[in-house]
Amino acid sequence: MVSPVTVVKSEGPKLVPFFKATCVYFVLWLPSSSPSWVSALIKCLPIFCLWLFLLAHGLGFLLAHPSAIRIFVGLVFSAVGDAFLIWQDQGYFVHGLLMFAVTHILYASAFGMRPLALRTGLVMAVLSGLCYAFLYPGLSGAFTYLVGVYVALIAFMGWRAMAGLRLVGAAWRWTELAAGSGALLFIISDLTIALDKFCFPVPYSRALIMSTYYAAQMLIALSAVESREPVEDYRLRKAN
């Protein structure tokens, strides 16, 4: 098991561009009422830096670990979704929603189906059902179904991220902690978006949404570093 201190020392420098880009976003704080390609670039820049973070481990690493490359592709779809949401008031909210739906499918696939953790899945199913029931009165038209599907997908992603989480004992790994924490923050971010858009204005919603979102993406990207599928196992499976 790799210690968290070792992870910070080895991976911290590679995340410096991400932290700088995130600071640029919050310092500039371009008004959301005036969407432009500049604001889209500033918003997507931290995600671009997470692309570079994964690529810094080598293209061979990504190609040899399907879980890592799925997270990378998920980050690509996330950036496209971010760009669409810059123009959400111009009718591109659904486009962004679809891009992030694909992202959650890719992340869930990266986290895998082992261990199954049915209890965790049941808890996530109940919580997602309650969230949808709370949002339902504010939904209309296609959003009634789209939001329902999206809630199910992000809950599924959260289940798979948290399924392997072990906080004590020899089975503890920082990889699962990063994935589980990232998934939880992603859910908080998206739930805040939904509440603000369909239910009631959330105070400081943009700051809450973006801070939890960037932290979530960083943690999920970090979880790919110590891949869940060793290179040897992957090569053996490919050979067979």
Side-chain angles (χ1 to χ4, degrees), residues 93 97 127-140 143-152 154 187-200 202:
F93 181 81
L97 191 72
L127 291 177
S128 63
L130 291 174
C131 287
Y132 182 69
F134 187 82
L135 294 171
Y136 185 80
L139 303 176
S140 61
F143 282 119
T144 304
Y145 310 102
L146 290 174
V147 171
V149 172
Y150 187 87
V151 168
I154 196 171
I187 291 170
I188 292 172
S189 178
D190 280 359
L191 180 59
T192 305
I193 291 175
L195 290 174
D196 190 62
K197 186 173 183 65
F198 300 114
C199 297
F200 52 82
V202 177

Short mmCIF file of all heavy atoms in Angstrom, two decimals, residues 93 97 127-140 143-152 154 187-200 202:
data_model
loop_
_atom_site.label_atom_id
_atom_site.label_comp_id
_atom_site.label_asym_id
_atom_site.label_seq_id
_atom_site.Cartn_x
_atom_site.Cartn_y
_atom_site.Cartn_z
N PHE A 93 -28.27 23.64 -21.85
CA PHE A 93 -28.19 22.92 -20.58
C PHE A 93 -28.30 21.41 -20.80
O PHE A 93 -27.55 20.63 -20.20
CB PHE A 93 -29.28 23.39 -19.63
CG PHE A 93 -29.25 22.71 -18.28
CD1 PHE A 93 -28.37 23.14 -17.30
CD2 PHE A 93 -30.08 21.63 -18.00
CE1 PHE A 93 -28.33 22.51 -16.05
CE2 PHE A 93 -30.04 20.99 -16.78
CZ PHE A 93 -29.15 21.44 -15.80
N LEU A 97 -25.82 18.38 -19.81
CA LEU A 97 -26.32 17.25 -19.01
C LEU A 97 -25.94 15.92 -19.65
O LEU A 97 -25.49 14.99 -18.97
CB LEU A 97 -27.84 17.36 -18.87
CG LEU A 97 -28.53 16.44 -17.87
CD1 LEU A 97 -28.23 16.89 -16.45
CD2 LEU A 97 -30.04 16.44 -18.11
N LEU A 127 -31.18 6.96 -1.46
CA LEU A 127 -30.86 8.39 -1.41
C LEU A 127 -31.16 9.09 -2.74
O LEU A 127 -31.69 10.20 -2.76
CB LEU A 127 -29.39 8.59 -1.03
CG LEU A 127 -29.01 8.22 0.41
CD1 LEU A 127 -27.51 8.39 0.63
CD2 LEU A 127 -29.80 9.06 1.41
N SER A 128 -30.81 8.42 -3.85
CA SER A 128 -31.08 9.02 -5.15
C SER A 128 -32.58 9.12 -5.41
O SER A 128 -33.06 10.10 -5.99
CB SER A 128 -30.40 8.22 -6.27
OG SER A 128 -30.93 6.90 -6.33
N GLY A 129 -33.34 8.10 -4.95
CA GLY A 129 -34.79 8.16 -5.08
C GLY A 129 -35.39 9.32 -4.30
O GLY A 129 -36.30 10.01 -4.78
N LEU A 130 -34.88 9.54 -3.09
CA LEU A 130 -35.35 10.66 -2.27
C LEU A 130 -35.02 12.00 -2.92
O LEU A 130 -35.84 12.93 -2.91
CB LEU A 130 -34.74 10.57 -0.87
CG LEU A 130 -35.22 9.41 0.01
CD1 LEU A 130 -34.42 9.35 1.31
CD2 LEU A 130 -36.72 9.54 0.32
N CYS A 131 -33.81 12.09 -3.48
CA CYS A 131 -33.41 13.33 -4.15
C CYS A 131 -34.31 13.63 -5.34
O CYS A 131 -34.76 14.76 -5.54
CB CYS A 131 -31.95 13.24 -4.60
SG CYS A 131 -30.74 13.33 -3.27
N TYR A 132 -34.58 12.59 -6.13
CA TYR A 132 -35.45 12.79 -7.29
C TYR A 132 -36.87 13.17 -6.88
O TYR A 132 -37.50 14.03 -7.51
CB TYR A 132 -35.47 11.54 -8.16
CG TYR A 132 -36.30 11.70 -9.40
CD1 TYR A 132 -35.90 12.55 -10.43
CD2 TYR A 132 -37.51 11.03 -9.55
CE1 TYR A 132 -36.68 12.71 -11.57
CE2 TYR A 132 -38.29 11.18 -10.68
CZ TYR A 132 -37.87 12.03 -11.69
OH TYR A 132 -38.64 12.19 -12.81
N ALA A 133 -37.35 12.54 -5.81
CA ALA A 133 -38.69 12.87 -5.32
C ALA A 133 -38.77 14.33 -4.87
O ALA A 133 -39.79 14.99 -5.06
CB ALA A 133 -39.06 11.94 -4.16
N PHE A 134 -37.66 14.83 -4.29
CA PHE A 134 -37.63 16.23 -3.85
C PHE A 134 -37.59 17.17 -5.06
O PHE A 134 -38.22 18.24 -5.05
CB PHE A 134 -36.40 16.46 -2.97
CG PHE A 134 -36.36 17.82 -2.34
CD1 PHE A 134 -37.07 18.08 -1.17
CD2 PHE A 134 -35.62 18.85 -2.91
CE1 PHE A 134 -37.05 19.34 -0.60
CE2 PHE A 134 -35.59 20.11 -2.34
CZ PHE A 134 -36.31 20.36 -1.18
N LEU A 135 -36.87 16.77 -6.11
CA LEU A 135 -36.74 17.61 -7.30
C LEU A 135 -37.98 17.55 -8.19
O LEU A 135 -38.27 18.50 -8.92
CB LEU A 135 -35.52 17.18 -8.12
CG LEU A 135 -34.14 17.36 -7.50
CD1 LEU A 135 -33.08 16.69 -8.36
CD2 LEU A 135 -33.81 18.84 -7.34
N TYR A 136 -38.71 16.46 -8.13
CA TYR A 136 -39.78 16.17 -9.08
C TYR A 136 -40.81 17.31 -9.24
O TYR A 136 -41.19 17.63 -10.38
CB TYR A 136 -40.49 14.88 -8.69
CG TYR A 136 -41.54 14.45 -9.68
CD1 TYR A 136 -41.19 13.80 -10.86
CD2 TYR A 136 -42.90 14.71 -9.44
CE1 TYR A 136 -42.16 13.41 -11.77
CE2 TYR A 136 -43.87 14.33 -10.36
CZ TYR A 136 -43.49 13.67 -11.51
OH TYR A 136 -44.45 13.31 -12.42
N PRO A 137 -41.30 17.92 -8.15
CA PRO A 137 -42.30 18.99 -8.32
C PRO A 137 -41.82 20.16 -9.18
O PRO A 137 -42.63 20.85 -9.80
CB PRO A 137 -42.59 19.45 -6.89
CG PRO A 137 -42.24 18.27 -6.04
CD PRO A 137 -41.06 17.65 -6.71
N GLY A 138 -40.51 20.39 -9.24
CA GLY A 138 -39.98 21.50 -10.02
C GLY A 138 -39.63 21.14 -11.45
O GLY A 138 -39.22 22.00 -12.23
N LEU A 139 -39.78 19.88 -11.81
CA LEU A 139 -39.43 19.42 -13.15
C LEU A 139 -40.64 19.46 -14.07
O LEU A 139 -41.78 19.29 -13.63
CB LEU A 139 -38.88 17.99 -13.09
CG LEU A 139 -37.67 17.75 -12.19
CD1 LEU A 139 -37.30 16.27 -12.15
CD2 LEU A 139 -36.48 18.58 -12.66
N SER A 140 -40.38 19.67 -15.35
CA SER A 140 -41.45 19.67 -16.33
C SER A 140 -40.89 19.25 -17.68
O SER A 140 -39.69 19.36 -17.94
CB SER A 140 -42.10 21.06 -16.44
OG SER A 140 -41.14 22.02 -16.85
N PHE A 143 -37.33 17.38 -18.92
CA PHE A 143 -36.50 17.34 -17.72
C PHE A 143 -37.01 16.30 -16.70
O PHE A 143 -36.23 15.78 -15.91
CB PHE A 143 -36.43 18.71 -17.06
CG PHE A 143 -35.49 19.65 -17.75
CD1 PHE A 143 -35.96 20.84 -18.29
CD2 PHE A 143 -34.15 19.35 -17.87
CE1 PHE A 143 -35.10 21.71 -18.94
CE2 PHE A 143 -33.28 20.23 -18.51
CZ PHE A 143 -33.76 21.40 -19.05
N THR A 144 -38.30 16.02 -16.73
CA THR A 144 -38.86 15.02 -15.82
C THR A 144 -38.15 13.68 -15.99
O THR A 144 -37.88 12.98 -15.00
CB THR A 144 -40.37 14.85 -16.08
OG1 THR A 144 -41.02 16.11 -15.95
CG2 THR A 144 -40.98 13.87 -15.08
N TYR A 145 -37.83 13.35 -17.24
CA TYR A 145 -37.18 12.07 -17.52
C TYR A 145 -35.66 12.20 -17.53
O TYR A 145 -34.95 11.32 -17.02
CB TYR A 145 -37.67 11.53 -18.87
CG TYR A 145 -39.18 11.53 -18.98
CD1 TYR A 145 -39.86 12.52 -19.70
CD2 TYR A 145 -39.94 10.56 -18.34
CE1 TYR A 145 -41.24 12.54 -19.79
CE2 TYR A 145 -41.32 10.55 -18.42
CZ TYR A 145 -41.96 11.54 -19.14
OH TYR A 145 -43.33 11.55 -19.22
N LEU A 146 -35.16 13.27 -18.12
CA LEU A 146 -33.71 13.45 -18.23
C LEU A 146 -33.05 13.53 -16.85
O LEU A 146 -32.01 12.91 -16.62
CB LEU A 146 -33.40 14.71 -19.04
CG LEU A 146 -33.71 14.64 -20.54
CD1 LEU A 146 -33.49 16.00 -21.19
CD2 LEU A 146 -32.84 13.59 -21.22
N VAL A 147 -33.66 14.30 -15.97
CA VAL A 147 -33.09 14.43 -14.62
C VAL A 147 -33.17 13.10 -13.88
O VAL A 147 -32.23 12.73 -13.16
CB VAL A 147 -33.81 15.55 -13.84
CG1 VAL A 147 -33.38 15.55 -12.37
CG2 VAL A 147 -33.51 16.90 -14.47
N GLY A 148 -34.26 12.36 -14.08
CA GLY A 148 -34.38 11.05 -13.45
C GLY A 148 -33.28 10.10 -13.88
O GLY A 148 -32.66 9.41 -13.06
N VAL A 149 -33.01 10.07 -15.19
CA VAL A 149 -31.94 9.21 -15.71
C VAL A 149 -30.59 9.68 -15.19
O VAL A 149 -29.74 8.86 -14.79
CB VAL A 149 -31.95 9.20 -17.25
CG1 VAL A 149 -30.73 8.48 -17.80
CG2 VAL A 149 -33.23 8.55 -17.77
N TYR A 150 -30.38 11.00 -15.16
CA TYR A 150 -29.10 11.53 -14.71
C TYR A 150 -28.86 11.21 -13.23
O TYR A 150 -27.75 10.83 -12.85
CB TYR A 150 -29.06 13.04 -14.93
CG TYR A 150 -27.70 13.64 -14.64
CD1 TYR A 150 -26.74 13.69 -15.64
CD2 TYR A 150 -27.38 14.14 -13.38
CE1 TYR A 150 -25.48 14.22 -15.39
CE2 TYR A 150 -26.13 14.67 -13.12
CZ TYR A 150 -25.19 14.71 -14.13
OH TYR A 150 -23.94 15.22 -13.87
N VAL A 151 -29.89 11.36 -12.42
CA VAL A 151 -29.78 11.03 -10.99
C VAL A 151 -29.40 9.56 -10.81
O VAL A 151 -28.55 9.21 -9.98
CB VAL A 151 -31.09 11.35 -10.25
CG1 VAL A 151 -31.07 10.76 -8.85
CG2 VAL A 151 -31.29 12.86 -10.16
N ALA A 152 -30.02 8.70 -11.61
CA ALA A 152 -29.71 7.27 -11.53
C ALA A 152 -28.26 7.00 -11.91
O ALA A 152 -27.57 6.20 -11.28
CB ALA A 152 -30.66 6.48 -12.43
N ILE A 154 -25.59 9.13 -11.85
CA ILE A 154 -24.59 9.63 -10.90
C ILE A 154 -24.63 8.82 -9.60
O ILE A 154 -23.60 8.63 -8.95
CB ILE A 154 -24.77 11.14 -10.63
CG1 ILE A 154 -23.51 11.70 -9.96
CG2 ILE A 154 -26.01 11.43 -9.79
CD1 ILE A 154 -23.49 13.21 -9.86
N ILE A 187 -21.50 14.53 -6.53
CA ILE A 187 -22.94 14.46 -6.25
C ILE A 187 -23.41 15.75 -5.58
O ILE A 187 -24.47 16.29 -5.93
CB ILE A 187 -23.25 13.24 -5.36
CG1 ILE A 187 -23.03 11.95 -6.16
CG2 ILE A 187 -24.67 13.30 -4.82
CD1 ILE A 187 -23.08 10.69 -5.32
N ILE A 188 -22.63 16.27 -4.63
CA ILE A 188 -22.99 17.52 -3.96
C ILE A 188 -23.05 18.66 -4.96
O ILE A 188 -23.99 19.48 -4.96
CB ILE A 188 -21.99 17.83 -2.84
CG1 ILE A 188 -22.12 16.82 -1.70
CG2 ILE A 188 -22.19 19.25 -2.31
CD1 ILE A 188 -21.05 16.94 -0.64
N SER A 189 -22.07 18.72 -5.86
CA SER A 189 -22.03 19.77 -6.87
C SER A 189 -23.26 19.72 -7.77
O SER A 189 -23.94 20.73 -7.99
CB SER A 189 -20.76 19.64 -7.71
OG SER A 189 -20.71 20.61 -8.73
N ASP A 190 -23.57 18.52 -8.29
CA ASP A 190 -24.71 18.39 -9.21
C ASP A 190 -26.05 18.57 -8.50
O ASP A 190 -27.00 19.10 -9.08
CB ASP A 190 -24.66 17.02 -9.88
CG ASP A 190 -23.66 17.00 -11.03
OD1 ASP A 190 -23.05 18.03 -11.30
OD2 ASP A 190 -23.49 15.93 -11.66
N LEU A 191 -26.12 18.14 -7.24
CA LEU A 191 -27.35 18.35 -6.49
C LEU A 191 -27.60 19.84 -6.26
O LEU A 191 -28.74 20.31 -6.34
CB LEU A 191 -27.28 17.62 -5.15
CG LEU A 191 -28.52 17.74 -4.25
CD1 LEU A 191 -29.76 17.21 -4.95
CD2 LEU A 191 -28.30 17.00 -2.93
N THR A 192 -26.53 20.58 -6.01
CA THR A 192 -26.66 22.04 -5.85
C THR A 192 -27.15 22.68 -7.13
O THR A 192 -28.01 23.58 -7.11
CB THR A 192 -25.32 22.66 -5.43
OG1 THR A 192 -24.83 22.00 -4.26
CG2 THR A 192 -25.47 24.14 -5.15
N ILE A 193 -26.62 22.22 -8.28
CA ILE A 193 -27.10 22.74 -9.58
C ILE A 193 -28.59 22.48 -9.73
O ILE A 193 -29.36 23.37 -10.12
CB ILE A 193 -26.33 22.06 -10.74
CG1 ILE A 193 -24.87 22.51 -10.76
CG2 ILE A 193 -27.00 22.40 -12.08
CD1 ILE A 193 -24.03 21.80 -11.81
N ALA A 194 -29.01 21.26 -9.42
CA ALA A 194 -30.42 20.88 -9.59
C ALA A 194 -31.33 21.68 -8.67
O ALA A 194 -32.39 22.17 -9.09
CB ALA A 194 -30.58 19.38 -9.33
N LEU A 195 -30.92 21.84 -7.42
CA LEU A 195 -31.74 22.61 -6.48
C LEU A 195 -31.86 24.05 -6.93
O LEU A 195 -32.95 24.65 -6.89
CB LEU A 195 -31.11 22.55 -5.08
CG LEU A 195 -31.17 21.19 -4.36
CD1 LEU A 195 -30.38 21.27 -3.06
CD2 LEU A 195 -32.61 20.78 -4.09
N ASP A 196 -30.75 24.63 -7.38
CA ASP A 196 -30.73 26.03 -7.79
C ASP A 196 -31.55 26.26 -9.06
O ASP A 196 -32.18 27.30 -9.22
CB ASP A 196 -29.28 26.48 -8.00
CG ASP A 196 -29.16 27.99 -8.18
OD1 ASP A 196 -29.52 28.72 -7.24
OD2 ASP A 196 -28.71 28.42 -9.25
N LYS A 197 -31.54 25.28 -9.96
CA LYS A 197 -32.22 25.44 -11.24
C LYS A 197 -33.71 25.09 -11.17
O LYS A 197 -34.53 25.75 -11.80
CB LYS A 197 -31.55 24.58 -12.31
CG LYS A 197 -32.11 24.79 -13.72
CD LYS A 197 -31.30 24.05 -14.76
CE LYS A 197 -31.83 24.32 -16.16
NZ LYS A 197 -31.67 25.74 -16.57
N PHE A 198 -34.05 24.05 -10.38
CA PHE A 198 -35.41 23.54 -10.43
C PHE A 198 -36.23 23.78 -9.16
O PHE A 198 -37.45 23.62 -9.19
CB PHE A 198 -35.39 22.03 -10.70
CG PHE A 198 -34.73 21.65 -12.00
CD1 PHE A 198 -33.55 20.93 -12.02
CD2 PHE A 198 -35.30 22.03 -13.22
CE1 PHE A 198 -32.94 20.57 -13.22
CE2 PHE A 198 -34.70 21.69 -14.42
CZ PHE A 198 -33.52 20.96 -14.42
N CYS A 199 -35.58 24.15 -8.05
CA CYS A 199 -36.32 24.26 -6.80
C CYS A 199 -36.30 25.67 -6.21
O CYS A 199 -37.34 26.33 -6.14
CB CYS A 199 -35.77 23.26 -5.77
SG CYS A 199 -35.97 21.54 -6.27
N PHE A 200 -35.15 26.15 -5.80
CA PHE A 200 -35.06 27.45 -5.16
C PHE A 200 -33.62 27.97 -5.30
O PHE A 200 -32.69 27.18 -5.47
CB PHE A 200 -35.43 27.35 -3.68
CG PHE A 200 -34.67 26.29 -2.93
CD1 PHE A 200 -33.39 26.51 -2.45
CD2 PHE A 200 -35.26 25.05 -2.71
CE1 PHE A 200 -32.69 25.53 -1.78
CE2 PHE A 200 -34.56 24.05 -2.03
CZ PHE A 200 -33.28 24.30 -1.56
N VAL A 202 -30.08 28.84 -4.43
CA VAL A 202 -29.15 28.40 -3.39
C VAL A 202 -28.13 29.52 -3.16
O VAL A 202 -27.47 29.94 -4.10
CB VAL A 202 -28.43 27.10 -3.81
CG1 VAL A 202 -27.40 26.70 -2.74
CG2 VAL A 202 -29.43 25.98 -4.03
#
